[in-house]
Amino acid sequence: MKMKPYEHPPALYPYREWSLGEDSYEEEFNQRSESVFALGNGYIGMRGNFEEGYHGTAGTTVAGNYLNGFYDSEPIVYPEGAYGLPEVNQSMLNVTDARIIGLEIEGHAFRLDSGRVHRFRRWLDMQTGLLYREVEWESPAGQRVKLAIRRMVSLRHKHLAAVDYAVTALNFAGTLQFVSALDGEIRRPLASADPRLGSGGAEPSLLLEDSGYDEAAGMLWLRQRTRHTRFALMTAASHRLQAASGRGLQLQLGGQRISAGYAAEVQCRETVILTKYITYHTSKDYDEAELRDRSADVLKMAEGCGFNGLADEQRAYLDRFWAHTDVEIKDDPALQQGIRFNLFQLLQSTGRDGVTNIAAKGLTGEGYEGHYFWDTEMYMLPFFTYTQPEIARKLLEFRYATLDKAREQAGLLSQKGALYPWRTIDGSENSAYFPAGTAQAHINADIAYGIKQYVQATGDLEFLVSQGAEILFETSRFWADLGYFNPARGGAFCINGITGPDEYTAIVNNNTYTNLLVQDQLSYAYETVLLLQQEYPADYERLRLAIGLTDGEAELWKKAADRMFIPFDEELGIYAQDDTFLSKRKWDFEHTPADKYPLLLHFHPLVIYRHQVLKQADLVMAMFLLGDKFRQVDKIRNYQYYEPLTTHDSSLSPCIHSIISAEIGDLAGAYGYFDRTVRMDLDDINRNAKDGLHMAAMAGSWMSIVNGFGGLRQAHGMLCFDPALPEQWQSFRFKVTARGQLLDVCISSEAAVYTLLEGTGLQIRHRGQPVLLHPQQPVSLALARQLEAVIFDLDGVITDTAGLHYQAWQALAGELGIPFSRAVNERLKDLSHMDALDIILEDSPLRLTHTERLALAEKKDAGYRQLLEQLTPAELLPGIPELLDSLAQQGIACGLASASLNAPLLLQRLGIGRRFQAIADPAALQKGKPDAEIFLTAAELLGVPPQGCIGIEAAAAGIASIKSAGMLAVGIGCREQLAAADLLLPSTAELTAEKLLELFGGKARRK
């Protein structure tokens, strides 16, 4: 099967560690640059539009200004309706454009498409939080000016933005004219067939009510009202002109666009500066009667600070932010720029007031209409939980603020408890396509997971008691009512008719991701009941009475969790994505052209639903979130099955695959997926950055580093690390906060260094070992791989039993009258008895029952055991006795990973049984080679991580098994069959402990 090819596109912006810039203006890329140069503060969002406006080709700009959570709603028109479908759709509004500053030089308007641009430079500084633009421009009449423009959206002041516009006359003396405007006439985008964009519309959503100029406050203002939700919006601006000679104010107050004009006489080499302060206030936050006065107060405060004072505040705010969140990647400026840009944009787009959240596109564009999704809890919340926990709490408080609407939604679906909406702004369901919307009820469990992670990471039990528990209990009620104990599944608890994270598979029974997360949620809800009863009885009684919680509900949650049905395919040895996924035909990737991705834009949903094909990580994500529920071999086996079926048509997918790739030892794969995630918008990998930035992918790039390469997991509130360094990096560093303590983690090729920067003392785990950290005392722990164990196959490595197998099979075949040759015997190598018997019988007319076949396999094995009795230590292959002696002397453990059920007997006859500390039992395995299970089992029995093991094999299937287990592989034999081995030797005579140690740089760790 061939997945669509992926090649990282060329860089679109110069690599700079702390800034994003462009040194020329290209109309072709304008709309994309409007997104990436966006500014915001979690409430106000401003796309990177030019102050003078855009004069390029129609359709290549979106002049965007957004307020988080400020929306209008319109009826959803269904050609064929159904009960319970959402009736209205909410859309975050593009509001009044207050950035506008027009400039005329001696009557010639400054525009990039006229006159001559001598120099153009624009950059976003992630340390100062300012957007800069410098332009040297010559008017058609020859006057030349230098523009230095600074823009900010204040991170300290929710309702404030500002523009500082400096003009220097370079070769003339004359008149400069500024026209600063508020433009409330917003053109809505047209409707699109792309479901990732907004619904569009021709009718304006903001209606003008009044406008004016407040002379006392020096304030230009515009009041509007939303068409359907009837929210009031007040936009206001004030100005300060710094000029040696200025002329009076000229006002234009008619219609949706109002302006204030300023003129200044300028001498050659003289600079004139117009500073504009901007505020937005709405009746969603304040009483309408207060809006104008509040606007005036904010503008007065801003004028008192001045632009430079506000810029100093902005820098100080970001200094504190970066002190807790910065990620450093040494000597990789592309990825360094990418991760810092992503974290900066996350800060800019996240609501911090408890009544707003973070939209899929943040505050950078109108894709997904400003809706909030599960992205928050599964992608963005972890970043804030471990770096800015106070913001994480506000994101969860939004869910509490909208709990009543979640209760209403559950009732609409005839269920008890609460069901959170798939996409929303105010808490109401906005998904008109329920198979990939409302059916994704896993959002309940996602929110519960976010609460659990936040509380364990922060120790914020006050939030759990006051708000989180009520969310947990009401959403658990929903699951207890939706699912049922299914007699057809032996009484297991089943959840039917839902959609998991993979939106290319819809309306299924027992989605494994959902069932696993619900199981975790119900267990946590039960534990929370016990906690409140024992530690907070008054709060428990208050909550019990408020929601009518009965005595038996918590016990029902525990019973459902204990008996949760988890689909598993015994033959494949993997978890099924749902009850029927594995029964479908696999998607034909080989014949799907690259221009047919994403599939959702080129194939009917029913076509996609009929196939094994994934839009994004589903079960693979469950393996990340609930890793302790999966063995390492489960993670490897499931990843190897589902990864080739995943299109990554969702931007949420690559980061999760990066994390699991790192966990199973595939650092090259992990790096590739991380590379695809971290510069998704900067390099426009999905070719839709123009519609807004991918917030979940941005947060996912942080997760790829911290959870992937840093190996961070949380176990009952304790931070656990299992770091690994990609070969492309010299080192990387990140910071995390746990229970109010700030930890710095630096990973290099040699060591992991943990430093507690703030706090009194913190216990963590490093590769399973407890580590106690004290303030400002770095602890350095070696990371270099050391050889701890060697795991051998038997046949062709320790001894040659092929001849004995051949004799036993030949005797059996002779009794059955079936031809048997050396060539057939070669095909049986490393196969189980039953698989080998199938090959022997494939050309035979015999039709045997399963019982008869088992009897034949046992008969062959009995003959083989008789032959084994003849073995002596003299049958050890050359060099093996010396190798075993040398390994024992150096304290390196030995294990056996053989498919032979007779391995213990064989080792005994060879006289080396005591040399092996572990023997994997092939009868207890789900799958044989080339599956990784047998080598991982041997390593687990030895108590050694796979990274500290070498596997030795003489068959291609064995080498594949070793590599899949994440171990180094030594092959004994010919290159044609064993080319994948890390070390290839023609015979065991050349196999020495020294050569094995060389694979680890000569380092061994004594057991």
Side-chain angles (χ1 to χ4, degrees):
M1 183 180 300
K2 182 181 179 183
M3 178 55 66
K4 64 172 182 174
Y6 168 75
E7 294 182 5
H8 196 108
L12 303 176
Y13 302 96
Y15 297 151
R16 296 164 184 159
E17 292 191 353
W18 280 105
S19 67
L20 172 71
E22 57 184 6
D23 298 324
S24 63
Y25 169 68
E26 303 288 344
E27 180 184 309
E28 176 185 357
F29 307 124
N30 177 71
Q31 194 169 340
R32 182 191 68 213
S33 289
E34 290 174 350
S35 294
V36 300
F37 288 111
L39 291 178
N41 65 359
Y43 179 67
I44 300 171
M46 290 183 171
R47 282 171 64 83
N49 308 103
F50 298 136
E51 286 78 7
E52 67 274 10
Y54 182 71
H55 306 95
T57 305
T60 58
T61 185
V62 174
N65 300 268
Y66 311 106
L67 303 179
N68 196 353
F70 186 70
Y71 66 93
D72 200 15
S73 60
E74 292 184 344
I76 300 174
V77 179
Y78 297 96
E80 296 183 33
Y83 175 79
L85 298 181
E87 297 179 353
V88 297
N89 179 60
Q90 301 165 352
S91 295
M92 179 180 71
L93 294 184
N94 189 351
V95 299
T96 300
D97 189 353
R99 297 161 300 194
I100 302 169
I101 299 176
L103 171 67
E104 290 188 2
I105 298 98
E106 291 289 296
H108 296 281
F110 163 61
R111 295 168 43 148
L112 292 176
D113 65 334
S114 70
R116 183 180 177 187
V117 177
H118 290 275
R119 190 168 75 91
F120 177 96
R121 182 179 174 222
R122 172 165 58 165
W123 71 100
L124 175 63
D125 189 312
M126 293 175 280
Q127 290 178 297
T128 65
L130 302 185
L131 178 64
Y132 299 83
R133 185 163 56 123
E134 292 182 353
V135 184
E136 286 190 17
W137 182 77
E138 185 177 331
S139 75
Q143 294 97 348
R144 191 162 172 172
V145 292
K146 176 185 175 181
L147 309 183
I149 305 169
R150 297 182 293 167
R151 182 191 301 176
M152 78 161 64
V153 176
S154 174
L155 292 165
R156 283 282 307 275
H157 306 287
K158 175 178 176 179
H159 300 281
L160 178 66
V163 180
D164 192 63
Y165 199 116
V167 184
T168 302
L170 297 180
N171 66 350
F172 71 98
T175 303
L176 302 179
Q177 291 183 317
F178 298 90
V179 178
S180 174
L182 307 180
D183 189 353
E185 186 174 353
I186 307 300
R187 293 170 179 80
R188 297 178 61 189
L190 299 176
S192 169
D194 187 339
R196 300 169 297 181
L197 303 180
S199 56
E203 204 173 48
S205 292
L206 281 172
L207 307 177
L208 177 65
E209 288 195 336
D210 200 2
S211 63
Y213 181 77
D214 186 328
E215 291 190 14
M219 181 176 77
L220 194 66
W221 59 270
L222 188 74
R223 190 177 73 237
Q224 298 163 289
R225 191 172 298 277
T226 56
R227 181 179 293 274
H228 298 284
T229 52
R230 308 304 294 165
F231 299 136
L233 166 65
M234 174 69 70
T235 309
S238 64
H239 305 83
R240 181 186 179 193
L241 181 68
Q242 299 178 58
S245 174
R247 288 211 297 268
L249 175 69
Q250 293 184 336
L251 299 174
Q252 295 288 335
L253 300 179
Q256 291 269 31
R257 182 183 176 112
I258 60 176
S259 64
Y262 301 87
E265 297 299 325
V266 63
Q267 301 300 314
C268 186
R269 296 292 172 180
E270 189 175 60
T271 299
V272 174
I273 303 173
L274 178 68
T275 303
K276 182 176 187 177
Y277 303 101
I278 301 162
T279 69
Y280 294 95
H281 290 78
T282 81
S283 60
K284 277 201 69 188
D285 299 313
Y286 307 104
D287 186 275
E288 283 191 38
E290 301 176 8
L291 299 183
R292 188 161 157 182
D293 287 344
R294 285 184 174 275
S295 299
D297 289 344
V298 171
L299 293 176
K300 182 178 179 181
M301 176 276 299
E303 291 170 7
C305 290
F307 190 94
N308 290 335
L310 293 172
D312 290 341
E313 287 184 355
Q314 190 91 331
R315 177 64 187 248
Y317 185 100
L318 285 168
D319 284 345
R320 290 191 297 273
F321 172 75
W322 291 119
H324 287 78
T325 64
D326 189 28
V327 175
E328 298 177 40
I329 304 174
K330 188 173 182 181
D331 295 330
D332 194 331
L335 301 188
Q336 180 68 82
Q337 180 188 50
I339 189 63
R340 284 181 174 145
F341 175 77
N342 292 347
L343 304 187
F344 179 72
Q345 289 293 354
L346 284 169
L347 174 67
Q348 290 198 129
S349 285
T350 302
R352 301 193 281 278
D353 54 14
V355 295
T356 58
N357 209 266
I358 179 167
K361 298 290 187 180
L363 297 171
T364 66
E366 293 167 47
Y368 294 111
E369 301 179 273
H371 290 164
Y372 315 136
F373 292 80
W374 74 311
D375 305 24
T376 295
E377 283 74 22
M378 291 291 95
Y379 291 84
M380 282 82 92
L381 184 65
F383 164 68
F384 289 109
T385 292
Y386 289 109
T387 62
Q388 306 284 314
E390 66 283 356
I391 296 178
R393 172 163 176 157
K394 292 300 180 182
L395 292 173
L396 290 172
E397 286 178 358
F398 167 81
R399 295 300 188 183
Y400 185 74
T402 57
L403 179 56
D404 283 341
K405 292 193 175 181
R407 291 185 177 106
E408 294 173 10
Q409 179 67 13
L412 193 65
L413 271 66
S414 306
Q415 305 292 163
K416 299 176 182 178
L419 173 62
Y420 278 94
W422 181 243
R423 54 190 299 172
T424 190
I425 294 180
D426 78 337
S428 302
E429 178 63 87
N430 276 237
S431 177
Y433 184 64
F434 70 87
T438 304
Q440 296 199 63
H442 65 80
I443 191 170
N444 267 7
D446 301 331
I447 293 169
Y449 184 93
I451 292 172
K452 179 181 178 181
Q453 183 183 65
Y454 167 78
V455 171
Q456 290 187 349
T458 63
D460 188 358
L461 290 174
E462 191 279 328
F463 170 77
L464 179 65
V465 172
S466 64
Q467 301 182 38
E470 188 171 351
I471 297 173
L472 285 172
F473 297 167
E474 289 288 38
T475 53
S476 295
R477 279 176 160 170
F478 172 85
W479 292 122
D481 189 44
L482 178 67
Y484 71 111
F485 297 97
N486 187 351
R489 296 288 189 186
F493 191 78
C494 295
I495 302 174
N496 294 342
I498 49 92
T499 299
D502 169 30
E503 295 178 353
Y504 284 173
T505 307
I507 315 295
V508 299
N509 296 341
N510 296 309
N511 168 256
T512 298
Y513 170 94
T514 301
N515 286 20
L516 284 170
L517 261 77
V518 172
Q519 181 183 53
D520 188 68
Q521 173 185 338
L522 294 177
S523 295
Y524 184 52
Y526 175 76
E527 293 167 4
T528 302
V529 168
L530 298 182
L531 173 70
L532 266 61
Q533 288 175 337
Q534 296 166 9
E535 304 293 334
Y536 304 90
D539 292 287
Y540 176 75
E541 185 64 16
R542 169 191 56 78
L543 181 55
R544 185 187 68 81
L545 293 173
I547 67 174
L549 188 67
T550 62
D551 293 338
E553 285 187 86
E555 293 299 327
L556 176 61
W557 300 340
K558 184 178 186 302
K559 179 182 176 183
D562 292 342
R563 299 176 66 177
M564 185 68 66
F565 178 69
I566 309 298
F568 188 85
D569 188 283
E570 295 290 346
E571 182 177 351
L572 294 174
I574 64 171
Y575 289 89
Q577 184 167 305
D578 56 66
D579 276 359
T580 62
F581 184 85
L582 297 178
S583 66
K584 299 176 183 178
R585 179 186 301 175
K586 292 183 178 179
W587 186 269
D588 185 4
F589 293 102
E590 186 71 35
H591 297 98
T592 303
D595 62 1
K596 293 299 183 182
Y597 294 92
L599 300 183
L600 63 96
L601 297 185
H602 300 94
F603 296 91
H604 192 284
L606 289 176
V607 175
I608 298 174
Y609 294 163
R610 293 188 189 111
H611 290 84
Q612 290 188 48
V613 60
L614 289 81
K615 183 181 181 186
Q616 64 205 80
D618 195 293
L619 179 67
V620 170
M621 186 161 187
M623 295 195 303
F624 162 52
L625 298 175
L626 301 172
D628 58 347
K629 293 183 180 293
F630 298 85
R631 300 174 302 159
Q632 184 74 354
V633 68
D634 292 325
K635 294 174 183 177
I636 293 170
R637 198 179 286 153
N638 284 279
Y639 184 83
Q640 290 176 346
Y641 186 87
Y642 287 104
E643 191 269 348
L645 299 175
T646 306
T647 62
H648 307 291
D649 284 347
S650 167
S651 63
L652 282 63
S653 187
C655 63
I656 303 302
H657 282 76
S658 176
I659 294 168
I660 295 297
S661 291
E663 184 172 1
I664 65 176
D666 180 12
L667 286 182
Y671 185 87
Y673 278 121
F674 171 68
D675 179 59
R676 186 170 180 171
T677 301
V678 70
R679 294 187 62 87
M680 181 170 289
D681 291 307
L682 290 186
D683 294 338
D684 203 8
I685 289 172
N686 285 13
R687 300 184 298 280
N688 61 354
K690 63 184 178 60
D691 303 316
L693 307 181
H694 298 81
M695 292 294 139
M698 289 178 158
S701 65
W702 180 87
M703 293 163 61
S704 294
I705 293 176
V706 175
N707 301 117
F709 302 125
L712 171 64
R713 300 294 185 272
Q714 180 175 276
H716 305 291
M718 181 179 289
L719 303 182
C720 306
F721 298 90
D722 187 8
L725 183 73
E727 65 178 14
Q728 294 88 344
W729 296 351
Q730 292 187 34
S731 66
F732 68 99
R733 166 182 253 118
F734 60 88
K735 298 177 177 67
V736 291
T737 297
R739 297 179 180 255
Q741 305 196 79
L742 179 62
L743 174 65
D744 178 89
V745 182
C746 182
I747 309 299
S748 68
S749 59
E750 295 299 321
V753 180
Y754 301 96
T755 306
L756 187 61
L757 299 178
E758 298 175 6
T760 57
L762 181 67
Q763 187 164 50
I764 64 170
R765 284 188 176 272
H766 170 84
R767 292 186 169 174
Q769 300 302 311
V771 179
L772 181 60
L773 301 174
H774 299 285
Q776 301 298 329
Q777 295 181 22
V779 175
S780 180
L781 301 170
L783 280 184
R785 287 164 53 138
Q786 295 177 317
L787 179 57
E788 299 181 58
V790 178
I791 302 175
F792 296 80
D793 188 16
L794 190 58
D795 195 33
V797 176
I798 293 176
T799 189
D800 188 357
T801 61
L804 302 182
H805 282 292
Y806 175 73
Q807 293 176 47
W809 282 121
Q810 187 181 47
L812 180 65
E815 290 183 24
L816 298 174
I818 299 172
F820 188 74
S821 65
R822 291 281 184 184
V824 173
N825 186 68
E826 193 64 28
R827 293 175 59 194
L828 309 185
K829 207 167 188 180
D830 270 331
L831 295 181
S832 68
H833 289 106
M834 297 303 289
D835 289 341
L837 187 61
D838 287 341
I839 290 177
I840 292 172
L841 295 172
E842 63 187 3
D843 293 326
S844 168
L846 296 175
R847 295 295 177 262
L848 303 176
T849 65
H850 180 67
T851 301
E852 291 171 330
R853 291 169 65 251
L854 284 173
L856 289 176
E858 177 56 34
K859 189 171 186 179
K860 179 267 174 185
D861 200 39
Y864 175 68
R865 284 197 298 270
Q866 289 181 352
L867 295 171
L868 287 183
E869 294 293 339
Q870 305 170 16
L871 286 179
T872 69
E875 306 301 325
L876 286 170
L877 290 177
I880 293 301
E882 295 80 5
L883 175 62
L884 294 175
D885 287 342
S886 181
L887 294 175
Q889 291 169 7
Q890 300 189 58
I892 298 172
C894 293
L896 190 72
S898 170
S900 174
L901 296 171
N902 302 295
L905 172 62
L906 197 149
L907 292 182
Q908 180 185 355
R909 298 302 303 165
L910 292 171
I912 56 173
R914 294 185 178 182
R915 294 295 183 88
F916 288 82
Q917 291 78 49
I919 301 175
D921 180 6
L925 305 179
Q926 290 179 328
K927 299 193 73 177
K929 303 170 187 178
D931 188 82
E933 185 174 12
I934 191 167
F935 279 93
L936 288 172
T937 299
E940 184 177 352
L941 291 171
L942 291 168
V944 176
Q947 296 82 1
C949 297
I950 285 177
I952 305 178
E953 267 282 0
I959 295 296
S961 178
I962 296 168
K963 300 296 286 184
S964 182
M967 303 176 184
L968 291 175
V970 174
I972 306 298
C974 62
R975 181 169 300 279
E976 290 76 12
Q977 293 182 341
L978 308 177
D982 297 289
L983 172 65
L984 182 63
L985 299 172
S987 73
T988 57
E990 299 187 31
L991 186 59
T992 64
E994 289 70 28
K995 288 182 178 178
L996 299 182
L997 286 167
E998 285 177 7
L999 292 175
F1000 281 82
K1003 297 178 181 179
R1005 179 183 296 168
R1006 293 181 177 270
K1007 292 296 288 182

